[in-house]
Amino acid sequence: MSIKEIKSGTLYKEYAVEIPYQEINSLIDEKINEILPTVSIPGFRKGKAPTTIVKKKYEDSIISEAIEKLVQDKTKNLLDAKNLKPFIQPRVDLKKFEKNQPIEVEVKINLEPEIKLKDFKKIDLTNYEIKLDKKIIDENYKDFLKNQKKYIPIKKSREIIKTDRIILNISSENESVPDFLKSQKKLPIMIESELQILPDLGAKLLKKKLKKGDKVKLGLDISKSIKSDKEVIADFDIEIVEIEESAPFKIDKEFLEKNGLKDEEELKNNLEDNLKSQYHNGIKQIEKKQLMDILDKEHQFDLPQGIVDQEFNDIWHRIEHAKKDNKLDDDDKKLTDDKLKNRYEKISKRRVKLSILLQFIAKEQNIVVDEKELTNGMMAYASQYPGQEKQIIEYFKKNPSAIETVRGPILEEKVINAVISSSNVVKKKINKSEYENLEKKTFDVSKD
């Protein structure tokens, strides 16, 4: 085996490794000898066929397994020989494989940073409590009534318009589509809503000028559903079952019964509780951001360049798509490409730094996500898609890697709570105006 260093950066190494084909051949021969006693080939008694004939028949089916094992072994040998301690599993790319020719692979290694944690008892944090007066609560109720929509089936056939709600059947035979999206019956879609099961579905239905009973095939982006950073287009068959138009809204018996309410007073109480919950969640995000700012400032350590580059490349890929689709944030639109790249390079470094730091804290304090927490997390995630909970849980079972999208946030929250519980926390009461100023200041992107 020959090893050549082809790139070296901060806590990052890349090597070109060449492995003689004879080593693959030896592994194949070992595997052939293992299965030889169990092989049945016409013209020979079981286990008595010549090795050359057995190898000719089975070599192609076991060669990938042999390559994988050999590359894993050689990667471990490389780490031992260079005395390297990887932070995450090294990435191995097979660059060249031809029969009877040396195998060429590239090994990309992000090394473990050295971190010294600050004493959390020396960290000062603020725990905010907001006071909502009656005027704010009443205004929220009036806004609720103003924003309510009621829909009734149209009486005459016509094309879809922007204010309609559409009831449709949707299906796809694309294997990439998650099970819970492959077939939906009588799915309601509000054309002008930004919250839809698939991005731009309402806009595309509107553009097609469809009527009740029409059927159409649409290519839709499923990247968010499968947690992909890249656009993934899948074909869907769509049937317009019903078109409903908006009608004047009023709180009546039908509305109360449909929403499980006794009377209008109960509705007001629920809306007040929801409003308080929204502000509570907003405060938690402010407190989290303030804590992250402190952790970022108080801890200085080198970052694995490979992970930083990957994070930036993923972000920049999304930025380029947003530019192409004219969906850049207003603050980003004001910047030149160089300034935009500089902004997201800083963001990439911060994300990687805080992710590594939180993982390190979790390891140091033995913070883990147990099975019960993970199960509850999956159920909470599935509950965001009413009627599709079972399909989503099945999807998690069939795709274990997808579970990390649930485990990660749970672990992060546990680490944050652990840091907060060890810090010096001061309580502070604020009003709505103070909250809004604090929120604006905390999330001011112009500072990034």
Side-chain angles (χ1 to χ4, degrees), residues 312-326:
F312 173 76
N313 290 337
D314 290 343
I315 292 175
W316 193 248
H317 177 79
R318 293 194 292 271
I319 292 296
E320 288 183 324
H321 268 288
K323 286 168 63 179
K324 181 180 176 182
D325 298 336
N326 197 29

Side-chain angles (χ1 to χ4, degrees), residues 1 6 8 16 59 66 89 99 120 130 138 144 152 202 220 225 234 236 271 273 349-350 364 386 390 412 422 438 445:
M1 178 177 76
I6 56 176
S8 181
E59 182 176 11
Q89 186 71 22
K99 201 166 184 179
F120 298 145
I130 189 167
D138 289 343
F144 169 80
I152 57 175
L220 299 168
S225 300
F236 286 85
L271 288 173
D273 291 341
K349 289 178 180 178
R350 175 184 165 94
E364 288 290 297
K390 185 177 179 181
E412 179 181 281
S422 301
L438 179 62
V445 295

Side-chain angles (χ1 to χ4, degrees), residues 166-217:
I166 311 303
I167 310 300
L168 50 83
N169 295 335
I170 183 171
S171 63
S172 176
E173 295 181 358
N174 190 306
E175 292 299 322
S176 301
V177 175
D179 290 342
F180 71 95
L181 276 178
K182 282 189 174 178
S183 180
Q184 290 259 16
K185 297 292 186 182
K186 295 186 177 180
L187 177 70
I189 294 291
M190 286 184 284
I191 295 296
E192 61 185 345
S193 173
E194 295 181 0
L195 301 175
Q196 297 185 1
I197 193 168
L198 289 163
D200 298 327
L201 175 56
K204 290 190 175 184
L205 292 173
L206 182 65
K207 189 176 181 181
K208 288 288 183 179
K209 299 181 178 181
L210 302 172
K211 296 181 179 181
K212 179 179 177 179
D214 285 350
K215 296 180 180 180
V216 66
K217 186 181 288 289

